[in-house]
Amino acid sequence: MDYKSENLEIENKELQIPAQYAGARVDVALTKMLPDFSRNQVQQWLDSGEILIDGKRLSAKNRIAGGEEVKINIKPSPDRTSFSAENLPLEIIFEDEEILVLNKPDNQVVHPAAGNWSGTVLNAILAKSPSNKSLARAGIVHRLDKDTTGLMIVAKTLSAQTNLVRQLQSRSVRREYKALVYGQMVSPVVIDKPIGRHPKNRKLMCVNETGKPAVTHVTPKELGLG
């Protein structure tokens, strides 16, 4: 997103529009006065009332005369504060200078998003390894669903993150999942079908010819349970 969380001086700021911008659109003038932020971001702040011109909410397309007083009061929002360290438990299986491997528990989201801005694996990683804040997604290179448990590998350096992403893309590393299901079967089955998004329910996965290659080995543990 456009907002730079580390640039906190933008909050509660007062400015005056120079006379040289007389006749310009409000959003154009403010974007020139706030070069660290995009025009789209300035427009959003005007629409939300976080930027006031002479104490009034103005549309981005309004023209200015020059000399107006600008008050900026950016309100904190969950997505701007989600990438913060939280002292949450992490079960570390392996760690060295380049990577760490953790065992993600059930009922924990990996990455902050709508509805889960805190309490995620990412928040816990930032507390465990503060330097990961400099890495994209705090060094996370793959995810597990909220209700899925299992091992996750997290990079601690840029070079490790780059190499891990390349290995995942080239499939030189692989991930295996185990699931317990109930059903009727008498012998092992191998399902070699690609898996992708369900065409009607985007929250579900299914056999999809446009999906990614996947091999599922189904082995009976006990018979007569179906």
Side-chain angles (χ1 to χ4, degrees):
M1 63 185 302
D2 294 315
Y3 183 88
K4 297 181 180 180
S5 59
E6 71 275 10
N7 199 0
L8 297 179
E9 69 270 15
I10 190 64
E11 300 186 13
N12 301 311
K13 193 177 186 71
E14 295 187 6
L15 305 169
Q16 185 176 45
I17 298 179
Q20 68 190 72
Y21 295 140
R25 285 172 51 123
V26 173
D27 58 342
V28 173
L30 290 177
T31 301
K32 291 179 179 179
M33 296 169 63
L34 303 169
D36 289 335
F37 303 94
S38 72
R39 185 173 172 183
N40 180 64
Q41 179 65 83
V42 169
Q43 290 173 345
Q44 291 179 27
W45 287 336
L46 286 166
D47 290 342
S48 65
E50 293 175 280
I51 293 182
L52 298 178
I53 310 297
D54 283 341
K56 302 177 183 178
R57 290 179 63 166
L58 294 184
S59 167
K61 63 182 180 181
N62 283 131
R63 302 285 173 171
I64 55 176
E68 291 93 339
E69 297 294 328
V70 180
K71 289 189 177 181
I72 305 174
N73 183 18
I74 308 303
K75 301 178 181 65
S77 61
D79 55 339
R80 295 214 302 259
T81 58
S82 60
F83 287 78
S84 58
E86 295 181 29
N87 190 19
L88 303 171
L90 275 180
E91 184 182 354
I92 305 299
I93 306 301
F94 172 82
E95 182 177 10
D96 61 15
E97 296 299 317
E98 299 287 330
I99 66 170
L100 65 84
V101 178
L102 61 90
N103 186 24
K104 190 191 88 66
D106 181 27
N107 198 37
Q108 185 176 32
V109 173
V110 170
H111 195 279
N116 292 98
W117 292 118
S118 63
T120 71
V121 171
L122 184 146
N123 299 121
I125 289 171
L126 291 178
K128 165 67 178 175
S129 179
S131 61
N132 274 45
K133 187 174 183 178
S134 65
L135 300 176
R137 297 173 299 281
I140 294 172
V141 295
H142 68 102
R143 304 185 187 187
L144 291 176
D145 290 341
K146 177 180 179 180
D147 297 324
T148 301
T149 64
L151 300 183
M152 289 183 57
I153 185 169
V154 178
K156 295 176 63 178
T157 66
L158 180 59
S159 60
Q161 187 175 40
T162 301
N163 287 329
L164 287 171
V165 169
R166 288 175 177 171
Q167 290 178 59
L168 288 168
Q169 290 175 340
S170 65
R171 296 191 177 88
S172 60
V173 294
R174 66 180 187 177
R175 288 164 285 179
E176 294 185 357
Y177 301 87
K178 290 184 178 181
L180 292 176
V181 298
Y182 291 96
Q184 295 181 352
M185 60 184 303
V186 295
S187 62
V189 176
V190 176
I191 304 172
D192 190 352
K193 296 285 185 180
I195 293 180
R197 292 287 180 186
H198 192 285
K200 295 183 179 180
N201 188 338
R202 303 299 294 172
K203 294 182 178 181
L204 299 179
M205 307 294 286
C206 68
V207 173
N208 188 326
E209 294 304 322
T210 63
K212 296 181 179 180
V215 179
T216 301
H217 298 267
V218 184
T219 304
K221 291 297 183 182
E222 292 186 36
L223 297 179
L225 295 178

